[in-house]
């Protein structure tokens, strides 16, 4: 029942979407490194990764807070 309520609130799909995006950014970073990308490109990628990790943390906190409230 908790999972159903959390899914209805949209938190679980958001966390999964962020996990997938982080995976994409990690693969992109690996490709950038292999290709000898510029520092600026790597830094842009790093900032995107940091933002998505932060968003994922907030989404997971909301997910678990919602689960504890029920």
């Amino acid at each position: 029942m908790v999972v159903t309520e959390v899914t209805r609130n949209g938190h679980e799909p958001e966390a999964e979407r962020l996990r997938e995006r982080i995976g994409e950014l990690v693969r992109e970073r690996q490709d950038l490194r292999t290709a000898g990308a510029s520092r600026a490109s790597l830094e842009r990628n790093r900032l995107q990764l940091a933002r998505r990790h932060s968003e994922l943390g907030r989404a997971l906190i909301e997910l678990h807070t919602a689960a504890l409230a029920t």
Side-chain angles (χ1 to χ4, degrees):
M1 180 160 163
V2 171
V3 173
T4 302
E5 290 176 20
V6 171
T7 300
R8 234 183 274 142
N9 291 334
H11 298 299
E12 188 175 350
E14 177 68 6
E16 186 56 35
R17 184 189 66 78
L18 288 165
R19 283 187 192 105
E20 289 172 6
R21 181 63 182 134
I22 288 168
E24 291 168 3
L25 288 167
V26 167
R27 287 185 294 279
E28 179 182 316
R29 185 167 189 82
Q30 292 168 340
D31 291 343
L32 288 168
R33 286 183 175 271
T34 299
S38 68
R39 285 185 177 190
S41 294
L42 289 167
E43 180 63 7
R44 277 191 299 276
N45 175 269
R46 185 191 69 77
L47 290 172
Q48 289 177 340
L49 272 166
R51 282 187 210 110
R52 295 309 161 264
H53 274 116
S54 180
E55 291 172 6
L56 177 59
R58 285 191 298 274
L60 291 172
I61 288 168
E62 290 178 22
L63 177 69
H64 292 287
T65 301
L68 290 174
T70 58

